[in-house]
Amino acid sequence: MRKIVIGIVIAFVVSFVIKKCTEGSADKTVIREHSALIQKQINNVGKLIVTEGYFSDAYSYKNSKALFANLTSDKQALVIVNAEVTVAYDLSKIEYEIDSINKVLKIKSIPKEELKIYPNLEYYDVESGYLNAFNHDDYNKIKEIVTTRITKK
């Protein structure tokens, strides 16, 4: 009976020591982070945003790659697009003439509007084939197609 009690006490001591050793190593996790902001260009602009729109679109992408005679490998994705679109005019490019005597401002020409699209893509139900997997070119192609579709709309 005494050997059993000593065995149980030794088992508790060993399990307590192992638990304390593993808890201490989990608390000593070291995370190193580094961030660098690179300023490329800052310009003072005078732009007049005349229209701002928000578009939502569901886009289904499917690509099939022929492998052998009748065998194909498919990849597909459902993409939900939420895009902000702005139409603006650069006021620094307006050509005008000032008649200070009559206090008249004559606008000679207005520059072409600038269309900016800021798409936010959310990918759902992405399925890749074993021999036709998604890669970065596919995601770039989807973004180009979506931007073109929104530009047309």
Side-chain angles (χ1 to χ4, degrees):
M1 181 73 171
R2 197 169 107 175
K3 290 182 184 180
I4 295 174
V5 173
I6 292 174
I8 292 174
V9 170
I10 291 174
F12 280 126
V13 169
V14 170
S15 65
F16 180 75
V17 169
I18 290 173
K19 184 178 178 185
K20 285 297 179 182
C21 289
T22 57
E23 283 181 2
S25 65
D27 293 338
K28 294 180 183 177
T29 304
V30 177
I31 298 174
R32 291 189 179 110
E33 295 179 0
H34 179 71
S35 177
L37 176 65
I38 299 172
Q39 177 183 339
K40 286 198 171 203
Q41 185 176 9
I42 295 178
N43 293 331
N44 288 330
V45 293
K47 291 194 179 183
L48 175 64
I49 296 177
V50 294
T51 305
E52 186 175 71
Y54 298 93
F55 295 91
S56 293
D57 192 13
Y59 176 70
S60 177
Y61 176 80
K62 186 172 185 180
N63 183 337
S64 297
K65 182 178 181 182
L67 300 175
F68 299 111
N70 290 330
L71 296 175
T72 60
S73 180
D74 297 333
K75 60 183 167 186
Q76 61 185 10
L78 176 64
V79 182
I80 304 298
V81 182
N82 293 311
E84 178 182 351
V85 180
T86 60
V87 178
Y89 291 96
D90 190 353
L91 299 178
S92 65
K93 295 179 181 178
I94 291 179
E95 294 179 14
Y96 57 89
E97 181 180 308
I98 299 175
D99 183 5
S100 58
I101 298 170
N102 296 325
K103 296 184 181 182
V104 175
L105 173 70
K106 292 181 182 178
I107 297 176
K108 292 182 176 181
S109 69
I110 298 175
K112 189 172 178 356
E113 70 276 353
E114 296 176 3
L115 181 67
K116 300 254 181 165
I117 301 173
Y118 307 99
N120 180 15
L121 306 175
E122 295 178 18
Y123 295 90
Y124 294 97
D125 196 27
V126 177
E127 295 179 10
S128 294
Y130 289 108
L131 300 174
N132 191 12
F134 270 97
N135 58 25
H136 63 279
D137 292 333
D138 292 318
Y139 292 110
N140 289 338
K141 184 177 178 181
I142 290 171
K143 186 173 181 179
E144 273 182 37
I145 291 169
V146 165
T147 304
T148 304
R149 287 172 50 121
I150 291 174
T151 302
K152 287 180 182 177
K153 288 181 182 180

